[in-house]
Short mmCIF file of all heavy atoms in Angstrom, two decimals:
data_model
loop_
_atom_site.label_atom_id
_atom_site.label_comp_id
_atom_site.label_asym_id
_atom_site.label_seq_id
_atom_site.Cartn_x
_atom_site.Cartn_y
_atom_site.Cartn_z
N GLY A 354 -38.98 -18.45 -13.00
CA GLY A 354 -38.92 -17.01 -12.84
C GLY A 354 -39.21 -16.50 -11.44
O GLY A 354 -39.33 -15.29 -11.22
N TYR A 355 -39.34 -17.39 -10.45
CA TYR A 355 -39.61 -17.00 -9.07
C TYR A 355 -38.45 -16.17 -8.53
O TYR A 355 -37.28 -16.54 -8.68
CB TYR A 355 -39.82 -18.25 -8.21
CG TYR A 355 -40.12 -17.97 -6.76
CD1 TYR A 355 -41.37 -17.57 -6.36
CD2 TYR A 355 -39.14 -18.14 -5.81
CE1 TYR A 355 -41.65 -17.32 -5.02
CE2 TYR A 355 -39.39 -17.89 -4.47
CZ TYR A 355 -40.66 -17.49 -4.08
OH TYR A 355 -40.92 -17.24 -2.76
N VAL A 356 -38.76 -15.01 -7.90
CA VAL A 356 -37.74 -14.10 -7.37
C VAL A 356 -37.82 -14.10 -5.86
O VAL A 356 -38.91 -13.97 -5.28
CB VAL A 356 -37.94 -12.66 -7.91
CG1 VAL A 356 -36.92 -11.72 -7.32
CG2 VAL A 356 -37.85 -12.66 -9.42
N THR A 357 -36.68 -14.25 -5.19
CA THR A 357 -36.62 -14.26 -3.73
C THR A 357 -35.34 -13.61 -3.24
O THR A 357 -34.33 -13.59 -3.95
CB THR A 357 -36.74 -15.69 -3.17
OG1 THR A 357 -36.74 -15.63 -1.75
CG2 THR A 357 -35.59 -16.57 -3.62
N SER A 358 -35.39 -13.09 -2.02
CA SER A 358 -34.18 -12.55 -1.40
C SER A 358 -33.69 -13.48 -0.28
O SER A 358 -32.72 -13.18 0.39
CB SER A 358 -34.44 -11.15 -0.85
OG SER A 358 -35.45 -11.20 0.13
N GLU A 359 -34.39 -14.59 -0.08
CA GLU A 359 -33.99 -15.57 0.93
C GLU A 359 -32.78 -16.36 0.44
O GLU A 359 -32.46 -16.38 -0.75
CB GLU A 359 -35.15 -16.53 1.23
CG GLU A 359 -36.37 -15.86 1.79
CD GLU A 359 -36.14 -15.27 3.17
OE1 GLU A 359 -35.40 -15.88 3.96
OE2 GLU A 359 -36.70 -14.21 3.44
N ASP A 360 -32.13 -17.06 1.35
CA ASP A 360 -30.93 -17.82 1.03
C ASP A 360 -31.28 -19.29 0.71
O ASP A 360 -30.74 -20.20 1.31
CB ASP A 360 -29.94 -17.73 2.18
CG ASP A 360 -28.55 -18.20 1.78
OD1 ASP A 360 -28.25 -18.21 0.58
OD2 ASP A 360 -27.78 -18.58 2.67
N PHE A 361 -32.21 -19.48 -0.22
CA PHE A 361 -32.60 -20.83 -0.61
C PHE A 361 -31.59 -21.41 -1.58
O PHE A 361 -31.01 -20.70 -2.39
CB PHE A 361 -33.97 -20.83 -1.30
CG PHE A 361 -35.12 -20.41 -0.41
CD1 PHE A 361 -36.04 -19.49 -0.86
CD2 PHE A 361 -35.29 -20.97 0.84
CE1 PHE A 361 -37.10 -19.11 -0.07
CE2 PHE A 361 -36.34 -20.60 1.64
CZ PHE A 361 -37.25 -19.66 1.18
N GLU A 362 -31.40 -22.72 -1.50
CA GLU A 362 -30.55 -23.41 -2.47
C GLU A 362 -31.39 -23.90 -3.65
O GLU A 362 -30.91 -23.96 -4.77
CB GLU A 362 -29.84 -24.59 -1.80
CG GLU A 362 -28.71 -25.14 -2.62
CD GLU A 362 -27.88 -26.14 -1.83
OE1 GLU A 362 -27.80 -26.03 -0.61
OE2 GLU A 362 -27.31 -27.02 -2.49
N TYR A 363 -32.66 -24.22 -3.36
CA TYR A 363 -33.58 -24.70 -4.39
C TYR A 363 -34.80 -23.78 -4.42
O TYR A 363 -35.20 -23.22 -3.40
CB TYR A 363 -34.03 -26.13 -4.10
CG TYR A 363 -32.91 -27.14 -4.24
CD1 TYR A 363 -32.13 -27.49 -3.15
CD2 TYR A 363 -32.62 -27.70 -5.47
CE1 TYR A 363 -31.10 -28.39 -3.27
CE2 TYR A 363 -31.59 -28.61 -5.60
CZ TYR A 363 -30.83 -28.96 -4.51
OH TYR A 363 -29.80 -29.83 -4.64
N CYS A 364 -35.40 -23.64 -5.57
CA CYS A 364 -36.59 -22.80 -5.75
C CYS A 364 -37.76 -23.42 -4.97
O CYS A 364 -38.09 -24.60 -5.17
CB CYS A 364 -36.93 -22.69 -7.24
SG CYS A 364 -38.44 -21.77 -7.55
N PRO A 365 -38.44 -22.63 -4.11
CA PRO A 365 -39.57 -23.18 -3.36
C PRO A 365 -40.82 -23.40 -4.22
O PRO A 365 -41.72 -24.11 -3.82
CB PRO A 365 -39.83 -22.13 -2.28
CG PRO A 365 -39.23 -20.89 -2.77
CD PRO A 365 -38.11 -21.28 -3.69
#
Side-chain angles (χ1 to χ4, degrees):
Y355 180 78
V356 178
T357 182
S358 61
E359 298 294 324
D360 194 21
F361 295 133
E362 194 170 331
Y363 292 92
C364 177

